[in-house]
Amino acid sequence: MSEIEPVATATADGTLTDGAPLRMSLTESDIRRLEAFAAPMRAWTSPVFHGLDNIPADGPVLLVGNHNFLGIDTPVLWPELARTRGRLLRGLAENVLITVPGVRHLLQSIGCVRGNRENCRTLLEEGEMVLVFPGGGREAVRRKGEKYVLKWEGRTGFARMAIETGAPIVPLAMIGADDVYDIIFDGDDLAMRPVRMLVQALGMRGNLTPPLVRGLGRTLLPKPERFYYAAGTPIETTPWADAPDLDKAAEDLQAVVRKALEEELRFLFAERERDRGRTLWGRVRGSIGL
């Protein structure tokens, strides 16, 4: 998922710029398909959700989250929100993902669109529930020592879109995914130079070079860390609507949202400290009454 890119051109009929459908249904079969897609990760991570009733059941809303390691925790959100809120989540995806034909088809089939301001504005004006990660790809491609660090410097596009459309913002914190892998070499390491050159040759920014990681044991299987999610109290954006300087208003709102999200992250860290079921072994012990 992506911070909202500033430049885009709407299609002639005012729909989405990447050809993604503007409106999508959410039938029982759709929800079952989403559940099947997320089932392996859900079974492995046994997720816990807090505060999802803070997300409005209808009307426009912008969910603003922290982007964890490669976004591997986001697929679990789709069926959970479909079941609990009766809504399809519309994600704003990185441009590089939308340019890959097979990946684009998969992302668009579950409601994702190219992450630009035009698409975000259009979806919010249509009353959709939109998910954005202001830190974008750089926040998801972690470096050593960057677990759960928000990389939001200069990222105010989401706040501007919320102000312009009057959509409330719900901070959405997620933890667990940054702990499933150990980073051996990150994208800035000299050993990763060949990979970085390949990334740049493919037209991507060098700072999106993925790290070399190790999961469970010496494998790439992710550690069975529990995933935790928390949706905070909605932040109404109408107080900023009449600001004389919209750029300054977006900066102020971004700071408010960042503080609220950091509070939700602290709440989840405290919850995890008290949870015996954080690890797979702890969950197994709990299931047999130990």
Side-chain angles (χ1 to χ4, degrees):
M1 301 302 162
S2 168
E3 157 65 345
I4 305 167
E5 296 292 336
V7 179
T9 303
T11 57
D13 60 359
T15 56
L16 303 177
T17 64
D18 56 338
L22 177 57
R23 300 178 185 86
M24 297 181 66
S25 64
L26 187 61
T27 65
E28 179 62 27
S29 62
D30 293 326
I31 297 176
R32 288 177 180 173
R33 180 168 57 89
L34 291 171
E35 288 174 335
F37 176 73
M41 185 62 75
R42 187 180 182 102
W44 192 239
T45 61
S46 190
V48 174
F49 300 89
H50 299 274
L52 294 189
D53 55 349
N54 284 324
I55 300 172
D58 53 52
V61 60
L62 189 63
L63 308 185
V64 179
N66 56 299
H67 213 353
N68 295 325
F69 183 73
L70 298 182
I72 62 175
D73 48 358
T74 55
V76 180
L77 276 173
W78 261 255
E80 187 68 24
L81 290 176
R83 283 291 183 199
T84 61
R85 308 310 295 154
R87 306 190 66 175
L88 178 66
L89 185 59
R90 307 302 300 270
L92 300 180
E94 283 283 344
N95 280 329
V96 65
L97 297 177
I98 295 296
T99 59
V100 181
V103 176
R104 177 175 66 244
H105 176 76
L106 174 62
L107 291 174
Q108 290 180 347
S109 71
I110 63 171
C112 293
V113 304
R114 185 187 300 274
N116 58 48
R117 292 184 183 181
E118 191 63 43
N119 284 342
C120 182
R121 182 186 293 108
T122 299
L123 288 172
L124 291 175
E125 288 174 345
E126 289 292 319
E128 296 280 3
M129 174 175 64
V130 180
L131 172 65
V132 63
F133 297 110
R138 174 59 185 87
E139 193 173 275
V141 181
R142 295 292 187 184
R143 303 294 191 264
K144 290 182 177 179
E146 287 186 351
K147 284 185 179 181
Y148 306 111
V149 174
L150 302 182
K151 310 290 286 187
W152 286 20
E153 293 75 14
R155 302 298 186 100
T156 60
F158 76 92
R160 189 183 185 102
M161 292 298 96
I163 294 171
E164 291 181 355
T165 60
I169 292 175
V170 173
L172 181 64
M174 303 182 288
I175 68 170
D178 275 1
D179 298 290
V180 302
Y181 288 108
D182 296 319
I183 296 176
I184 301 172
F185 298 118
D186 65 32
D188 290 336
D189 197 284
L190 182 62
M192 298 299 289
R193 183 180 179 185
V195 180
R196 190 162 55 249
M197 293 174 63
L198 175 60
V199 167
Q200 293 172 326
L202 293 173
M204 294 182 284
R205 301 189 304 275
N207 66 0
L208 295 182
T209 303
L212 179 65
V213 299
R214 178 177 58 211
L216 189 62
R218 296 181 178 273
T219 75
L220 289 178
L221 182 68
K223 299 174 186 177
E225 286 277 338
R226 171 168 274 170
F227 287 173
Y228 301 80
Y229 303 78
T233 303
I235 299 168
E236 294 297 330
T237 59
T238 50
W240 286 271
D242 297 324
D245 186 341
L246 189 54
D247 290 335
K248 179 61 167 57
E251 291 177 4
D252 292 344
L253 179 55
Q254 189 245 47
V256 170
V257 176
R258 178 173 186 144
K259 181 179 179 181
L261 181 58
E262 288 172 340
E263 289 176 355
E264 294 301 319
L265 286 168
R266 285 193 289 271
F267 164 74
L268 288 182
F269 290 135
E271 286 294 302
R272 186 170 70 173
E273 282 297 311
R274 293 190 289 266
D275 184 15
R276 294 181 59 198
R278 170 182 175 175
T279 64
L280 180 60
W281 176 234
R283 297 194 289 274
V284 170
R285 292 182 64 190
S287 69
I288 59 178
L290 295 179

